[in-house]
Amino acid sequence: MIPPVANPDPTDPILRVGGLTVSFATDRDPVTAIRDVSFDVNPGEILSIVGESGSGKTVSLLSILGLTDPRTTTTSGSVIFKGKRILELPDREMRRIRGREIALISQDPMTALTPVYTIGMQIAEQIRAHQSISRRGARKRAVELLGEVGLPNPSEMVDRFPHQLSGGMRQRAVIAMALSCNPALLVADEPTTALDVTVQAQVLDLLRRLRKDFGSSIILITHDMGVVGEMADRVLVMYAGRVVESGTAEQIFDDPWHPYTWGLLASIPPLRGPRPERLASISGTPPTPANLPPGCAFAPRCRFRFEPCSNPPPRYKDDGHTALCFIPPEDRPRLRATVLGGERSAA
Amino acid sequence: MALTILQRLFQMLFVMFGISVLAFLIFFATPGADPAARIAGRNASPETVAAVRANFGLDRPLPIQYGLMMKRLFVTRDLTSFVNRGQRVIPQVLDAAPITLCLVVGAAFFWLVGGVVLGLLAAALRDSFIDKASMAIALVGVSIPAFWLGEVLNLVSQSRFHDTWLFAWVPALGYKPFWSDPWMWFKTLLIPWISLATLYIGLYGRVLRANLVEAYQEDFIRTARAKGLSPGRVLIKHALRTSLIPFITLFGLDFGALVGGQALLTEVVFGLNGIGRLTYQSLQTLDLPVILATVIYASFFVVMANALVDVVYVLIDPRVRGS
C-alpha cells in the first residue's frame, strides 16, 4: 500500500526524471531510442515536449509510466514521482499510481477507447479500480466528470458507445476519464493532433482550466509550436531521443539557442504581415535510432555545422536554459538571424 | 436490435429457399441425366422407371416438379428412397440428426472452452515456455486427422487397455439415446467428443492467441493499462471481448459444416449413424431423394449457424447494432 504522501515541500518538483535511457531489443543489437533525458515537472506547471515524429517524445513518457513492453524494452535512469522512485516499483504498486496519480491522455481519441463499452462504463471502471465506491456512485461521478469537461447532456452521454461520439466529444471523454481520480500529473500525448482546429482550441482551453481548478501539473507532448506557445510554462525540445534544448517558454521563444529549435520556430506561419511564398522547413529527415551519426545527431541537417559537430556536443547552461550544441553563445544571435529574421534575435 | 435479428431471420428463410431450388435443380434438372432412372436405382425395369416418373411428377414442368418435391419433403413427408426398397427419407434424416447434433454440440463445448483457455493462456504468458509449448501442442492437434486420433483412442480404450481401471468404463461403440440412459449417453460420446474437439482446440487456440496479441498493439489497451487496471482485467475485459469476432466467425462456419455432415469420419470411426454417414451411404448408392433431403438439412444448419453468429456479433459489438 502506498500512502498518498503529500509533497514534503509544495515547491519541490512533482516529477524528476534523471538520465532516462530507453533501448529496444531488435533482431540485431539493442537500439537506444532515448538517451539521457532529464527534466523536472513542478507542481501546477505545464511542461511541453516538442519534436518531430519519432524523436522519442511518446516513448519517454510511456517508459516513465511503465507502459513499455518489458520483454523488448530496457529502461534505465531515475524517475522520482512525489519523492518515490517509480521505475523500480513492482507492477502491482505501479498500478496504484497509474490512473490515480499520473493519468494519460492518448493521442488519438478515435482509438483510445475500447469500442465495445460505453464511455460511462470505462470512466467508472477507472474510478472503481482505485476507490472503493459503489457501481452507482462511480456512474454518478462519471456523469459529473463528463459535465465538467463540457459534454452536453452528460447523463445521456454516459451510456453512449465511443463510435456514437464525434472526435472532439471522444477526446473530452478521454480527458474526463483521465481526470476521474484527480491525478497530480496529467500526461497528454498530442491531445489535439487528431482534432479540428476549433475543437483543438476548446480542448486546450479545457486543459488550461484543469490546471487552474485542480492545480494539476501537465506534460503536454506536441509537435505543434503554436500549441507550445499558447500553453507551455517550460519547454523541452527533443531530437533523435535526446533533449537538445530546454528552458522556459520565454527563453525558447525569445532567445532560442539550438539550430533545431530555430528551424521549428521558423516553420510557424506568421499571423501578421505578408504571407510567405513557402513556409520554412528543415530539410532531410530525422535519423532512426539504429543509425545515429556519431557526433551531434542533428549535424547532417544543420545549416550551421562546422568541424566540432562530428563529436558529441557539449551542453550549454545558463539560468535553467540548456542547449546541446557547439555554437558558442556570442555567435548565436548572428546565426539565428539568418533563420528567423532580425526581430527575434534582438531579444 | 430486435428488428436487426428479425431481419436476419427473414434473410435466412430466403437463403434457404434459394438453396432448396439450387439443390433441386442440380439433382433433377441436370441435362443428360434422367432423375427417374436414378431414383429407380440401377438395373430397374422400364416399367419401374415409368412408375417413378409418374409418381414423382417428373413428366411435368420444372416448377411443378419442385413444388411436388418440396411438398413431399416438408408437408406429407412421404418421400421414399427407391434404392432401399421404399424406405421413407424423412424418418431416416430425423433419426440421424440427433446423433450428429449430440456429437457436434458436445465437441463444440469442449473446443470452445479449450480454445479460449489455450488462447488466453498463451497470450497472457506470451513468449514464455508455456506459450511456446502450448502452441506446439496445438499445432500437433491441428495436424492430427480426426479419424486417426479416433482410431487410436478406440484401439487404446476398446481393446488394448480396455480391461484396466483406466478404460473399463468405456462402453461399446455406437450411440445410446440420451433419454433412455443419460449417463450411458455421456460415456459413449465422451471419447468421440474429445477426438473431434482436439483439432479445433488447437486451431481456435492459435487463432485467438494471434488476435489477442494483435489487440495488445491497440491504443485502447494502452489506455486500459494506463488506467491502472490489473493485467487480468485488461486481458479479459478489454482484449478478449474485442478479439472474439474472428473466433466466432470461424465457429459459425465450422459448427454448421460439422452438423451438416462434415463429422463423417468421426461418425464412422465411432459407429455413430449420423447425418454424415447417411449422406455418404446415399451418395454411394446415388439415392437421390435422400441426398436431396440431407443437402437441404445441412444447408439449414449452415444458414442457422451463420444467423446465430450474426446475432452474437450484435450482442458483443455495439458497432454492429446501428444507432
Side-chain angles (χ1 to χ4, degrees), chain A residues 203-220:
Chain A
V203 167
L204 292 179
D205 271 348
L206 178 62
L207 288 178
R208 255 194 303 255
R209 220 180 63 220
L210 293 177
R211 191 252 301 256
K212 207 173 97 225
D213 295 354
F214 299 99
S216 313
S217 310
I218 299 176
I219 300 180
L220 181 67

Side-chain angles (χ1 to χ4, degrees), chain A residues 111-112 114 117 122 125 130, chain B residues 219 223 227 229 233 237-238:
Chain A
T111 55
T114 306
Y117 298 117
Q122 298 190 50
E125 184 184 35
H130 298 288
Chain B
D219 280 357
T223 307
K227 280 156 80 172
L229 305 181
R233 196 177 167 93
K237 289 282 277 193
H238 291 266

Side-chain angles (χ1 to χ4, degrees), chain B residues 82-103:
Chain B
F82 262 63
V83 178
N84 287 328
R85 307 275 167 257
Q87 201 174 18
R88 289 198 172 186
V89 169
I90 302 299
Q92 270 182 295
V93 174
L94 290 184
D95 281 349
I99 301 178
T100 301
L101 271 177
C102 288
L103 172 68

Side-chain angles (χ1 to χ4, degrees), chain A residues 55-93:
Chain A
S55 59
K57 304 170 301 227
T58 305
V59 171
S60 43
L61 285 180
L62 290 184
S63 54
I64 289 169
L65 278 167
L67 290 177
T68 48
D69 188 343
R71 279 181 298 256
T72 55
T73 317
T74 44
T75 309
S76 62
S78 73
V79 177
I80 298 166
F81 176 73
K82 288 189 170 176
K84 198 159 38 215
R85 296 176 67 95
I86 57 173
L87 280 186
E88 290 81 2
L89 280 185
D91 189 58
R92 175 176 295 275
E93 288 180 37

Side-chain angles (χ1 to χ4, degrees), chain B:
Chain B
M1 192 158 123
L3 190 74
T4 320
I5 294 174
L6 208 71
Q7 239 176 358
R8 193 66 191 77
L9 290 178
F10 182 76
Q11 280 173 7
M12 189 176 116
L13 280 179
F14 187 77
V15 169
M16 289 210 44
F17 169 72
I19 290 174
S20 72
V21 169
L22 267 181
F24 169 79
L25 287 179
I26 288 170
F27 291 126
F28 289 91
T30 317
D34 181 6
R38 292 248 186 104
I39 292 173
R42 283 177 193 134
N43 309 322
S45 65
E47 294 81 43
T48 322
V49 174
V52 167
R53 185 165 291 129
N55 188 5
F56 280 81
L58 294 176
D59 44 3
R60 300 165 75 179
L62 266 183
I64 293 177
Q65 284 184 33
Y66 171 80
L68 278 175
M69 191 56 77
M70 290 304 127
K71 182 182 150 220
R72 298 191 67 180
L73 257 179
F74 293 111
V75 184
T76 55
R77 300 174 161 215
D78 59 352
L79 191 63
T80 51
S81 136
F82 262 63
V83 178
N84 287 328
R85 307 275 167 257
Q87 201 174 18
R88 289 198 172 186
V89 169
I90 302 299
Q92 270 182 295
V93 174
L94 290 184
D95 281 349
I99 301 178
T100 301
L101 271 177
C102 288
L103 172 68
V104 176
V105 169
F109 171 77
F110 278 97
W111 98 57
L112 281 184
V113 173
V116 168
V117 169
L118 184 72
L120 281 178
L121 205 70
L125 304 169
R126 185 144 64 96
D127 296 338
S128 70
F129 172 74
I130 292 178
D131 174 30
K132 284 172 185 153
S134 66
M135 282 299 109
I137 293 170
L139 189 62
V140 173
V142 171
S143 320
I144 294 177
F147 65 89
W148 182 86
L149 182 65
E151 287 291 18
V152 169
L153 287 176
N154 269 346
L155 183 73
V156 169
S157 66
Q158 297 283 349
S159 98
R160 290 295 159 81
F161 299 100
H162 186 67
D163 295 330
T164 65
W165 58 272
L166 256 178
F167 294 109
W169 58 270
V170 180
L173 294 181
Y175 179 74
K176 312 285 182 305
F178 176 79
W179 296 114
S180 59
D181 184 354
W183 178 233
M184 197 62 176
W185 170 86
F186 180 80
K187 284 197 292 187
T188 46
L189 282 174
L190 187 60
I191 289 180
W193 283 338
I194 291 170
S195 113
L196 185 58
T198 302
L199 158 77
Y200 293 100
I201 289 177
L203 188 66
Y204 281 59
R206 290 180 73 89
V207 167
L208 185 62
R209 176 192 181 273
N211 283 305
L212 283 170
V213 166
E214 201 178 317
Y216 267 81
Q217 309 293 321
E218 298 278 352
D219 280 357
F220 61 78
I221 295 294
R222 193 172 81 186
T223 307
R225 294 181 61 213
K227 280 156 80 172
L229 305 181
S230 69
R233 196 177 167 93
V234 172
L235 179 67
I236 304 283
K237 289 282 277 193
H238 291 266
L240 179 63
R241 174 86 178 261
T242 48
S243 303
L244 275 180
I245 297 268
F247 190 87
I248 288 166
T249 309
L250 209 59
F251 179 75
L253 294 174
D254 284 335
F255 185 81
L258 280 177
V259 175
Q262 211 185 53
L264 167 71
L265 293 174
T266 312
E267 287 174 7
V268 172
V269 167
F270 291 103
L272 303 168
N273 291 316
I275 287 290
R277 215 169 136 136
L278 180 66
T279 312
Y280 174 68
Q281 281 163 353
S282 58
L283 278 171
Q284 274 193 319
T285 53
L286 272 179
D287 195 346
L288 273 193
V290 180
I291 298 175
L292 184 67
T294 53
V295 165
I296 289 178
Y297 157 90
S299 72
F300 172 74
F301 274 99
V302 172
V303 172
M304 182 88 151
N306 277 302
L308 253 172
V309 161
D310 284 356
V311 172
V312 176
Y313 283 163
V314 170
L315 290 180
I316 64 170
D317 193 339
R319 285 169 296 184
V320 186
R321 270 169 227 169
S323 37

Side-chain angles (χ1 to χ4, degrees), chain A residues 21-34:
Chain A
T21 299
V22 180
S23 47
F24 295 121
T26 64
D27 292 337
R28 278 171 283 150
D29 301 323
V31 159
T32 305
I34 307 291

